[in-house]
Amino acid sequence: MTSADAPHDTHEVMELAVWFGGASVACWFCCPFWALVCFLALPLALAGLVRACVEFRSSAHGRASRRRAAAGGALSLLGGAAALTYILFLATHPDLPVQE
């Protein structure tokens, strides 16, 4: 029996990049309050990008799927780009969210 900390042990990596990336994109379609959604979608997208990098590196050792890591990274980039774009839009148009 080998220990769980053995360096040559093959541990499966949880493939969460697609879930985080999909959640960051799905937020834009599910909630009409985009001023609030952008602050939820951005952390989800960043977490998805980090997980995509981890999974992509693990795919070299056969512990994760390279295709799912790339898909999760693409979804995370899309959700993060949408969030950053909307935050920049709100910063340049401060009078729009407040309606009198």
Side-chain angles (χ1 to χ4, degrees):
M1 197 136 144
T2 62
S3 72
D5 296 330
H8 299 293
D9 227 3
T10 57
H11 295 288
E12 290 292 321
V13 175
M14 290 185 64
E15 296 178 344
L16 296 175
V18 173
W19 290 102
F20 281 124
S24 70
V25 172
C27 288
W28 294 103
F29 296 110
C30 294
C31 184
F33 303 111
W34 287 1
L36 300 175
V37 168
C38 65
F39 296 110
L40 175 68
L42 188 58
L44 284 172
L46 292 175
L49 282 173
V50 169
R51 287 300 305 177
C53 290
V54 168
E55 291 172 17
F56 195 77
R57 287 183 180 167
S58 295
S59 69
H61 302 291
R63 290 181 281 176
S65 171
R66 186 175 295 229
R67 188 176 289 173
R68 284 184 59 93
L75 285 171
S76 296
L77 280 175
L78 183 64
L84 285 176
T85 302
Y86 196 72
I87 288 172
L88 288 174
F89 177 76
L90 287 177
T92 57
H93 299 87
D95 56 326
L96 287 180
V98 179
Q99 296 179 0
E100 296 177 21

